[in-house]
């Protein structure tokens, strides 16, 4: 027996990349990443058959993305990263505080490297 799981479609011998499960109570077909184990009530599909999948009229197809696939960063992600780098590079005033070691920020209780300890703001 081959260790590679094959597409469940008749006469298709390509390797499976996705698993299809039907939720009959909700009239939904769920197509997600390849399941860890082959289940008798699920169907393994190759890339071509998973892309061309359609559901019966009145049914909904839910396509779950593979969390292990690398996602392309958006412009917002890159801007947030740049802002975080700028914030980390900004010099901080580390002068001794006469208030018993409290920082200038009333919510920040302490710092340890890049981590901050925050206390709840008072009402």
């Amino acid at each position: 027996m081959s260790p590679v799981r094959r597409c469940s479609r008749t006469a298709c011998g390509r390797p499976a990349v996705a698993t299809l499960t039907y939720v009959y109570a909700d009239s939904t077909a769920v197509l997600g990443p390849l399941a860890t184990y082959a289940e008798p009530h699920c169907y393994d599909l190759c890339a071509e058959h998973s892309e061309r999948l359609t559901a019966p009229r009145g049914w909904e197809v839910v396509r779950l993305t593979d969390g292990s696939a690398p996602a392309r960063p958006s412009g917002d992600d890159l801007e947030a990263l740049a802002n975080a780098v700028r914030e980390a590079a900004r010099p901080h005033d580390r002068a001794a505080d006469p208030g018993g070691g409290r920082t200038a920020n009333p919510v920040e209780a302490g710092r340890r490297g890049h981590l901050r300890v925050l206390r709840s703001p008072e009402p």
Side-chain angles (χ1 to χ4, degrees):
M1 181 170 183
S2 173
V4 177
R5 288 177 23 205
R6 301 288 176 191
C7 183
S8 298
R9 296 291 301 260
T10 305
C12 181
R14 290 185 288 264
V17 297
T19 298
L20 173 66
T21 306
Y22 290 107
V23 182
Y24 293 98
D26 297 333
S27 299
T28 305
V30 180
L31 183 68
L34 189 62
T36 307
Y37 301 101
E39 299 283 337
H41 59 277
C42 297
Y43 302 92
D44 295 336
L45 299 176
C46 65
E48 181 180 343
H49 286 122
S50 64
E51 289 171 6
R52 295 185 353 201
L53 176 74
T54 60
R57 186 175 299 164
W59 281 58
E60 180 183 2
V61 176
V62 176
R63 294 178 187 270
L64 304 175
T65 58
D66 185 5
S68 65
R72 299 199 65 207
S74 69
D76 292 338
D77 294 336
L78 295 175
E79 184 176 351
L81 178 62
N83 289 338
V85 169
R86 283 188 207 108
E87 177 67 26
R90 187 179 319 158
H92 294 284
D93 184 21
R94 304 227 186 251
D97 188 10
R102 292 193 169 192
T103 62
N105 185 350
V107 177
E108 187 175 324
R111 250 184 129 76
R112 187 172 191 177
H114 67 283
L115 301 175
R116 292 183 290 175
V117 177
L118 304 177
R119 64 176 179 272
S120 298
E122 296 176 13

